[in-house]
Amino acid sequence: MGFLQDKKVLITGVASTRSIAWGVAEAMHREGATLAYTYQSDKLKKRVEDVAEQTGSSLVLPLDVQSDEQIAALFGELEQQWGGLDVIVHSIAFAPRSELEGSYIDAVTRGGFATAHDVSVYSLAALAKAARPLMAGRNGAIVTMSYLGAVRTIPNYNVMGVAKASLEANVRYLADSLGPEGTRVNAISAGPIRTLAASGISGFKTMLDESEKRVPLRRNTTIQEVGNAAAFLCSDLASGITGDVLYVDSGYHILGM
Ligand code: NAD
Ligand code: 0WE
């Protein structure tokens, strides 16, 4: 029997089989969880339906996190289908491309800052808030995906780093709010992984090649490794852990010079 047996899990953020959310979905499915998925736009619907099927799921629902109506409809549907929810996997980030190149101060704009924080940060609180009645009193868990740019400056990551700092603070405040209801909230800070969100980022390949040579484990992080850690964090094995950020980055963040 898997360590997520009988857990009902909502997976957001699958855009392809390279997505971190897909690594999480596979690990959770392996451990016995029942999954539902969301897709951002009609363009992604078919693709998400196809991968959902690979984990025995046909519950695939639309969710653009910038829409309050879609958030409400999503949890309305989950209540009808499942009557409750144990786990939310939040694996969503977006900033306008023009914000992710050059010096931070040159690139940042009011609009780009607002969009990055709305999509990548507020969305976590919005989902937690809407799911609250479904998750209360069931040893629920929420996990989100962060990056080292939250706590160090990383070239070109710019406003996304500021948003990830806010995401990690959001995790702590949500953990304190939801702890009394038994719901835990944590983040995983993943090392760089080649996904759609990383494609076309200038210098990304160099980052991967250089970190592979320097990190303690001498290899880059995989979506399977992030998936296994997320499955653990959302299981009852992690019952004492909330409000935390777990680094799954082959050890990169411990390095100095
Ligand atoms: P990805 O492109 O596969 O996933 C990003 C997802 O965000 C997509 O599924 C996309 O549909 C979704 N999304 C964007 N805007 C949305 C909106 N308005 N509403 C709903 N969904 C929306 O890339 P990924 O690398 O798997 O990214 C997942 C998470 O992991 C992100 O939070 C990212 O910041 C984080 N992360 C990525 C890396 C990396 O190197 N790839 C490292 C650390 C953390
Ligand atoms: O969080 C991320 C990427 C998130 C992301 C990616 C894009 C590309 C397409 C957010 N918004 C957009 N907007 C787009 O238009 N990562 C951790 C991956 C990543 O992105 C970087 C990195 C790393 C690592 C950008 C610059 C430098 C390093």
Side-chain angles (χ1 to χ4, degrees):
M1 197 176 100
F3 60 71
L4 289 170
Q5 204 67 43
D6 298 331
K7 297 270 194 193
K8 292 186 162 53
V9 175
L10 178 67
I11 305 276
T12 69
V14 175
S16 76
T17 51
R18 288 195 161 179
S19 294
I20 291 175
W22 175 240
V24 178
E26 282 195 299
M28 290 187 169
H29 171 64
R30 183 193 70 221
E31 296 304 332
T34 301
L35 308 182
Y37 291 80
T38 67
Y39 59 90
Q40 184 191 348
S41 62
D42 288 338
K43 210 177 68 198
L44 290 170
K45 181 176 184 192
K46 177 80 170 67
R47 204 184 290 180
V48 178
E49 283 174 347
D50 287 349
V51 304
E53 200 187 318
Q54 294 178 47
T55 56
S57 168
S58 55
L59 195 46
V60 180
L61 303 164
L63 175 66
D64 182 324
V65 293
Q66 291 196 284
S67 161
D68 289 333
E69 293 72 28
Q70 287 190 27
I71 292 172
L74 169 67
F75 292 103
E77 188 62 27
L78 288 179
E79 166 146 50
Q80 291 223 329
Q81 298 283 332
W82 285 349
L85 179 67
D86 300 297
V87 172
I88 298 177
V89 177
H90 176 276
S91 189
I92 292 171
F94 178 79
R97 168 57 54 94
S98 57
E99 298 274 333
L100 302 177
E101 52 202 17
S103 141
Y104 172 64
I105 197 162
D106 293 332
V108 71
T109 64
R110 189 188 298 274
F113 188 102
T115 299
H117 284 73
D118 186 36
V119 175
S120 318
V121 189
Y122 175 70
S123 63
L124 180 69
L127 296 187
K129 208 174 163 82
R132 188 178 184 183
L134 286 174
M135 294 185 77
R138 318 172 40 119
N139 296 327
I142 300 175
V143 68
T144 185
M145 297 302 153
S146 193
Y147 178 57
L148 187 64
V151 293
R152 314 269 185 82
T153 64
I154 309 273
N156 302 316
Y157 199 59
N158 297 350
V159 78
M160 271 311 306
V162 180
K164 291 300 191 191
S166 174
L167 180 70
E168 292 183 5
N170 203 7
V171 163
R172 291 185 285 273
Y173 277 90
L174 289 170
D176 196 32
S177 291
L178 295 172
E181 300 168 14
T183 304
R184 298 178 299 102
V185 187
N186 292 290
I188 288 174
S189 185
I193 301 176
R194 188 186 305 285
T195 62
L196 282 177
S199 70
I201 302 290
S202 61
F204 191 80
K205 183 171 183 332
T206 314
M207 272 185 77
L208 283 181
D209 293 347
E210 290 305 310
S211 29
E212 190 167 36
K213 288 184 216 149
R214 291 164 213 257
V215 289
L217 293 176
R218 299 291 192 277
R219 52 183 167 74
N220 287 313
T221 307
T222 65
I223 61 169
Q224 287 75 26
E225 290 174 318
V226 176
N228 284 331
F232 160 71
L233 274 180
C234 294
S235 78
D236 298 340
L237 294 173
S239 59
I241 306 175
T242 195
D244 215 348
V245 180
L246 179 61
Y247 283 80
V248 181
D249 68 346
S250 307
Y252 183 87
H253 75 286
I254 69 166
L255 297 178
M257 194 181 73

